[in-house]
Amino acid sequence: MNTFDNRKDSFLPPFKVEYRSENADEHLALHLAHRFRLKPFEDEIVLVCIGTDRSTGDALGPLVGSKLQAHTSRMLQVYGTLDDPVHAMNLKEKLEFIQTRHPKSTVIAVDACLGQFSHVGNINVINGPLKPGAGVKKELPPVGTFHITGIVNVGGFMEYFVLQNTRLAVVMRMAEIIASGLSKAVSLASEESRLGSV
């Protein structure tokens, strides 16, 4: 799996869009397509959608994975769905499997997170690996060359309780935006690759 240390996209600034913004998925898609164009041509894109449907707030990752299952292609491989989630109990094992199955891959982590009240609803794309479980004091392996997070609720106090009591409507809508943005980005990047090879 590639790391970000020697990659041009490590210089890209972080990206942020509010999920209720007009054309939020298209703004996200343009940013992600730019990142995809900078990856080595032979790399697959592996999406690791982290979370569990046992907690409303933490279901963002598996919802994104389930929505993208239909779009799995040679260029985009998806791990972490509602039926087969990637979570704290199996994360290390799944990452080892991905390393073996997709040795040349750009890995993107997708996860829910908690943040300041004024940031709830933001979808962020950030350089470097995600540190899953950090908000709830769990030590888990880092994931991804870059990561996408959705701030689903306010953090700082009783995180487990807050995640359990997050509105499903917000999480569903954010998952739709992230899944649509990723799907459109793959199409944009692959169209450009085909045009470049003509």
Side-chain angles (χ1 to χ4, degrees):
M1 283 184 286
N2 284 316
T3 62
F4 235 66
D5 300 336
N6 57 359
R7 299 267 302 276
K8 290 180 279 186
D9 36 8
S10 63
F11 299 110
L12 285 175
F15 170 85
K16 174 177 74 176
V17 66
E18 217 277 341
Y19 83 100
R20 287 168 294 215
S21 301
E22 191 174 353
N23 302 322
D25 61 332
E26 291 178 17
H27 294 298
L28 179 61
L30 288 170
H31 176 80
L32 291 172
H34 183 50
R35 285 180 179 267
F36 294 166
R37 289 182 202 113
L38 293 173
K39 74 177 181 61
F41 180 74
E42 69 278 7
D43 281 11
E44 292 176 288
I45 297 167
V46 173
L47 201 63
V48 183
C49 301
I50 299 163
T52 172
D53 63 349
R54 293 175 184 268
S55 169
T56 313
D58 206 25
L60 179 70
L63 281 166
V64 171
S66 290
K67 288 175 183 296
L68 280 170
Q69 262 184 319
H71 300 283
T72 297
S73 63
R74 189 198 65 77
M75 192 174 174
L76 179 67
Q77 300 292 320
V78 179
Y79 292 88
T81 63
L82 292 171
D83 288 330
D84 186 16
V86 174
H87 46 63
M89 303 303 288
N90 66 6
L91 179 62
K92 187 170 182 289
E93 170 196 329
K94 291 282 189 184
L95 291 178
E96 287 169 357
F97 176 80
I98 290 167
Q99 173 72 67
T100 305
R101 185 86 178 267
H102 310 281
K104 287 191 170 183
S105 59
T106 296
V107 176
I108 307 163
V110 179
D111 200 4
C113 69
L114 302 173
Q116 296 175 19
F117 179 77
S118 59
H119 295 167
V120 173
N122 285 349
I123 295 165
N124 303 295
V125 184
I126 302 168
N127 296 333
L130 174 78
K131 295 178 178 64
V136 288
K137 314 294 185 282
K138 281 186 180 172
E139 285 286 327
L140 296 170
V143 185
T145 48
F146 68 90
H147 59 280
I148 302 169
T149 57
I151 303 179
V152 296
N153 212 330
V154 180
F157 181 67
M158 296 178 68
E159 274 84 359
Y160 280 112
F161 181 78
V162 170
L163 281 170
Q164 295 272 356
N165 288 278
T166 296
R167 288 196 63 218
L168 181 60
V170 171
V171 178
M172 289 288 289
R173 186 69 187 122
M174 290 179 89
E176 285 166 12
I177 298 293
I178 295 169
S180 176
L182 280 159
S183 177
K184 288 178 179 179
V186 168
S187 295
L188 285 168
S190 59
E191 278 170 21
E192 191 151 302
S193 296
R194 283 198 297 273
L195 287 171
S197 63
V198 171

